[in-house]
Amino acid sequence: MLLRPLIRAVTYTRWLHLVIGAIVPFIAGLIYPGLNSPSFGDWLTVAALPIPLMVALALVPSTRRAEGLQARLMLFPGKHARGRDEEADADEAAAGISATPSASWTDRGRTALWLVFRMEAGLVAWLVSVWLLQVTLVLLDTRIEEPVLPFLTPSGPGKVALAPLPLLVLLALVVMAGRLDKRVARRLLGPSVKERMTALEERTERLLERNRIARELHDSLGHALTLAVVQAGAARAAKDPEFTDRALAAIEETGRAALEDLERVLLLLRETGRPRGASPGLDEAARLLESARSSGAQVDAEVTGPVEDLPGPVSREAYRMLQEALTNALRHAGPVPVDVRVTAERSRLRLRVTNPLPPGRPPVAPGTGSGLRGIRERAALLGGEAKTGMKDGTWRVDVTLPLR
């Protein structure tokens, strides 16, 4: 497996990316002090002259973006890479190398360090690479005029058997220099703390949106399907044509409302930019109560206070909570008497739904079921509280939501 890096194209693009950085000091060296028989001091001068230029270039915000895009392209595997390791490496690079302009002085400072590192490391890599090739030629007893590093080039007759050794060292240099370049790029061109926080916030927003959509689908479609099942069963048991017609009409209306909710959620998922229909609010609770009554349940409802003036988020979430509470009552208890109390006070909204359980049917354990969990999650997001469970022989859903 030692030869595996040598057959990867990214190994040589990394080396090329590093060596390209040597162009700037070479251009500076051609101007001053000149590269005619350069000494060790001359090379140090060539390496130091462009540093102020690199620092000044790093002050331009777009420099960081250009370096980040170039690093992503040349330091990490692309479509030419093969194997799972390369794909994982590429995924890590996408998250580890920033390609946005500098937004702070910290970003500019890190960009300046990166430019200086790339220039100096590129110059060293170029000089050592050329020198190793020249050593190979010397060992082959080939005459070389003006070697790039004359003070390090061996003299005298060389041994042909040692000629491959510098080439092996050169290949090892290419691999190691590329890996060093990649690690430094991750450190200096990686996302800043602000960018990491922004990415984390965006990911959190996406997760919250997915959870909200899941709750919307569960509450809306679950309610519609539960009502349809209960109403169809009641119509079949009644064997009354008039009751059957009313049940079918209720199923049709409930199904149409569920399709509207489904279309609204699908538009949200597709992000088409088309206007979405607003979610129903608590002022439309009469539709829920009528659909529950049409299934055979005896719903006694009392609404107190100006529910039409409730804040939009509170009204919409309370509607979904009431919908889920009625769905649970019909699903687990059947057509039983259901008591609904909605009270809109000055500073809070209270919602209570209670129903008895049929004899012999065990109650749902508190905290179980995605519907009950969804009610608690909706209440918590609004800073409220939801309690569910048995009390005084009845199943109770009690929700309190703050209005401020």
Side-chain angles (χ1 to χ4, degrees), residues 119-328:
M119 179 184 68
E120 305 296 356
L123 179 61
V124 172
W126 189 91
L127 291 175
V128 174
S129 299
V130 174
W131 175 71
L132 288 172
L133 292 175
Q134 291 176 339
V135 169
T136 302
L137 296 177
V138 169
L139 293 176
L140 292 174
D141 201 18
T142 302
R143 291 187 178 183
I144 300 177
E145 296 181 0
E146 298 183 359
V148 65
L149 296 176
F151 47 88
L152 293 178
T153 304
S155 58
K159 297 182 179 179
V160 179
L162 296 178
L165 183 60
L167 296 179
L168 295 177
V169 175
L170 176 59
L171 292 177
L173 172 67
V174 170
V175 174
M176 299 306 296
R179 291 178 178 177
L180 176 64
D181 196 17
K182 179 187 68 173
R183 292 183 179 181
V184 176
R186 282 201 179 115
R187 181 64 61 88
L188 298 180
L189 296 180
S192 62
V193 176
K194 182 178 179 181
E195 291 172 336
R196 293 181 187 275
M197 291 297 297
T198 301
L200 181 60
E201 291 175 357
E202 292 176 353
R203 182 174 180 271
T204 303
E205 289 293 334
R206 289 195 298 269
L207 291 176
L208 290 175
E209 186 68 12
R210 289 173 57 185
N211 289 335
R212 188 181 72 84
I213 291 173
R215 288 196 301 266
E216 291 278 340
L217 288 176
H218 174 273
D219 295 347
S220 178
L221 298 185
H223 177 76
L225 292 175
T226 298
L227 287 181
V229 171
V230 173
Q231 290 165 345
R236 185 177 61 177
K239 298 181 180 180
D240 183 357
E242 183 177 353
F243 182 82
T244 301
D245 290 341
R246 291 198 304 269
L248 290 176
I251 292 175
E252 180 183 3
E253 180 181 357
T254 304
R256 185 178 294 110
L259 287 176
E260 292 176 357
D261 289 340
L262 179 61
E263 179 64 20
R264 178 175 52 80
V265 173
L266 291 179
L267 286 177
L268 179 63
L269 289 173
R270 294 168 185 163
E271 297 181 350
T272 58
R274 295 167 51 188
R276 304 188 301 269
S279 299
L282 197 58
D283 54 340
E284 302 179 38
R287 185 178 67 176
L288 286 178
L289 301 176
E290 288 301 323
S291 62
R293 293 189 181 103
S294 64
S295 65
Q298 304 173 15
V299 181
D300 181 16
E302 179 182 352
V303 180
T304 306
V307 294
E308 65 278 358
D309 296 333
L310 293 175
V314 175
S315 181
R316 290 190 293 269
E317 296 301 321
Y319 177 93
R320 292 303 184 189
M321 295 179 194
L322 176 59
Q323 183 182 55
E324 181 59 29
L326 292 174
T327 302
N328 283 336

